[in-house]
Amino acid sequence: MIDNKTIAKFKDLPTPFYYYDLDVLRSTLDTLKKESEYSGYKVHYAVKANPNARILKIISSYGFGADCVSYNEIAASLEAGFDPSGIVFAGVGKTDKDIIAALNADIFCFNCESIPEMEVIDQLAAKLNKTASIALRINPYIDAHTHKYITTGIEASKFGINTWELEDVIKKLSLLKNIKLIGIHFHVGSQITRMSVFQSLCSRINELQEWFTSRAINLTSINVGGGLGIDYENPDKNPRFEEYFSLLNEFINLLPGQKLHLEPGRSIVGQCGSLISRVLFIKNGSNTTFAIIDAGMTDLIRPALYQAHHKIENLTSDGRMYRYDVVGPICESSDTFAKYIELPETKRGDLVAIRSAGAYGEAMASRYNLRDLPRAVFSDEL
Ligand SMILES: *Cc1c(COP(=O)(O)O)cnc(C)c1O
């Protein structure tokens, strides 16, 4: 909820901007810390969801690790105080520069996605006189039942190693002297709301564990990736960490000496952020009324890219309810935040909040149309 005191302070600020409610972020982190400590699981925050420096600092202060996908994310994580021994590095296309930065930082583990990648990490590690710890990202062949662009663990995905390749991977590994296999890694997709998807993943992991055990390969790290969804219809609702953790507890069979790792992104930062925008014009179309706002797909691309739905609230009107299409100013029709939604009578100058925008919002902003990047405003600065 964005309270009236906060709304009053928004009135003097130039829009659009991301508003981060740090009480929401901290309470989410408190729950996550409690649940992960109780289970003995290691959390690595997926930095790509929101790499804002202040947010990173707050998350690192809880002692969590980081899940990075570029050398810049590694640098930002170290800068924010994350310990290198808690950094995992993912990506289907790591560049030499990425790999060298990760080796130099002495990160915890590379999540590897192919034999050619393993070979390059081995060569670069040899040059630097290091041994790289790696986990194999295995394609679990599980449908995440989410948008196709964020489904990552089905057979057609570019991600992960296919199980039919595992035999070759193991053979190859025995020849690579500067990498050490410590675990297996999975990531089924993002914005997963069906808990049964995670249950299927647990079963898949248990099967694969048997495969490794039967070959006397000892793994210490089991990484289930991220993907826990949030409730976009109810922005004030917390992610279902408790349910998620108890499901993992119940269905994953960890072997002695194994630690379970997770990489949540969206579930940590999604609900603490809102995109705040001003209404520029109300315009009548032939079948609809457009509320044209000063935020566009350059500030928040999720509706245009994933047909994502964000709850929109008019913060400054409590008039009669009418139907609006809420659209941005960018020169293309995908620049639409919501169609035919009910809002109290909306006028030029009203402030609207596009809720649940803390994850993959500011992080994906662009300067298309040479627009300014959205600013960030934190609740404790108002
Ligand atoms: C994007 C990503 C995550 C985070 O996903 P969320 O849905 O934001 O939790 C974790 N791990 C990997 C490998 C990813 O690509």
Side-chain angles (χ1 to χ4, degrees):
M1 255 234 346
I2 303 177
D3 59 30
N4 288 332
K5 242 172 75 187
T6 307
I7 295 169
K9 288 174 178 156
F10 285 170
K11 287 183 180 159
D12 301 325
L13 299 177
T15 46
F17 61 87
Y18 276 92
Y19 169 67
Y20 295 110
D21 186 330
L22 298 182
D23 292 335
V24 171
L25 176 61
R26 290 201 177 94
S27 96
T28 307
L29 289 166
D30 287 338
T31 310
L32 183 61
K33 191 170 172 74
K34 195 180 102 211
E35 293 296 328
S36 59
E37 279 180 356
Y38 175 77
S39 310
Y41 298 164
K42 175 79 186 176
V43 170
H44 307 263
Y45 167 61
V47 172
K48 73 175 194 272
N50 192 324
N52 182 294
R54 257 214 89 191
I55 293 206
L56 289 184
K57 237 182 212 151
I58 293 170
I59 297 174
S60 82
S61 75
Y62 279 73
F64 295 130
D67 167 29
C68 299
V69 292
S70 69
Y71 65 83
N72 282 325
E73 282 195 359
I74 293 177
S77 301
L78 295 173
E79 178 74 19
F82 285 96
D83 198 292
S85 68
I87 294 181
V88 292
F89 188 29
V92 69
K94 299 176 186 75
T95 65
D96 292 16
K97 195 168 173 182
D98 286 327
I99 294 167
I100 290 166
L103 288 167
N104 281 329
D106 291 318
I107 65 161
F108 168 61
C109 185
F110 289 85
N111 293 326
C112 286
E113 307 216 9
S114 66
I115 291 178
E117 180 193 331
M118 284 165 24
E119 289 171 337
V120 171
I121 294 175
D122 181 67
Q123 282 165 15
L124 295 173
K127 254 191 221 161
L128 295 172
N129 221 351
K130 292 187 185 256
T131 305
S133 293
I134 68 153
L136 301 174
R137 176 171 179 173
I138 301 175
N139 186 341
Y141 309 129
I142 290 168
D143 190 345
H145 295 287
T146 181
H147 190 273
K148 63 178 191 290
Y149 291 175
I150 49 175
T151 293
T152 54
I154 58 170
E155 194 156 6
S157 306
K158 68 178 173 181
F159 302 100
I161 293 166
N162 288 299
T163 41
W164 48 261
E165 252 184 322
L166 275 178
E167 211 67 74
D168 287 346
V169 169
I170 299 306
K171 247 187 252 152
K172 189 80 204 178
L173 271 172
S174 64
L175 304 174
L176 302 176
K177 297 302 172 209
N178 289 77
I179 60 181
K180 178 171 185 279
L181 178 67
I182 63 160
I184 47 179
H185 170 249
F186 305 84
H187 179 66
V188 187
S190 198
Q191 184 49 20
I192 296 167
T193 51
R194 285 193 205 177
M195 285 291 167
S196 61
V197 170
F198 294 114
Q199 193 178 331
S200 306
L201 177 61
C202 293
S203 311
R204 201 78 194 94
I205 291 173
N206 295 340
E207 283 167 30
L208 281 158
Q209 288 253 57
E210 281 176 29
W211 189 92
F212 284 94
T213 307
S214 70
R215 281 157 186 79
I217 298 168
N218 179 32
L219 304 172
T220 51
S221 168
I222 307 296
N223 186 331
V224 296
L228 180 64
I230 59 170
D231 189 344
Y232 283 92
E233 301 292 330
N234 297 292
D236 298 315
K237 228 162 134 182
N238 296 322
R240 293 147 68 189
F241 287 129
E242 216 179 304
E243 201 181 330
Y244 179 50
F245 277 74
S246 56
L247 181 144
L248 294 173
N249 265 321
E250 185 175 347
F251 292 104
I252 281 205
N253 302 325
L254 291 180
L255 304 174
Q258 288 187 331
K259 200 168 187 69
L260 193 123
H261 298 253
L262 310 101
E263 302 167 341
R266 185 191 311 271
S267 53
I268 297 182
V269 291
Q271 300 294 43
C272 76
S274 298
L275 177 59
I276 309 298
S277 176
R278 269 195 180 80
V279 177
L280 292 171
F281 306 110
I282 299 298
K283 176 174 167 176
N284 289 319
S286 38
N287 290 312
T288 181
T289 307
F290 294 105
I292 303 168
I293 64 175
D294 65 3
M297 62 189 286
T298 54
D299 305 298
L300 177 66
I301 202 175
R302 298 191 65 260
L305 187 60
Y306 311 122
Q307 293 78 48
H309 176 76
H310 287 258
K311 190 159 186 223
I312 301 179
E313 295 165 356
N314 186 325
L315 300 176
T316 49
S317 162
D318 54 5
R320 257 189 71 188
M321 301 301 276
Y322 292 95
R323 294 264 175 193
Y324 297 92
D325 284 10
V326 179
V327 302
I330 314 290
C331 317
E332 64 168 279
S333 298
S334 67
D335 188 27
T336 296
F337 290 109
K339 275 188 181 312
Y340 203 62
I341 56 159
E342 274 205 320
L343 287 175
E345 183 172 16
T346 297
K347 299 171 297 302
R348 174 174 168 81
D350 282 353
L351 285 171
V352 297
I354 303 178
R355 303 289 312 275
S356 309
Y360 308 106
E362 191 186 354
M364 293 178 89
S366 81
R367 292 208 56 206
Y368 182 42
N369 285 202
L370 263 193
R371 284 164 56 82
D372 292 327
L373 286 173
R375 293 178 320 125
V377 172
F378 294 91
S379 50
D380 64 352
E381 298 169 344
L382 289 173

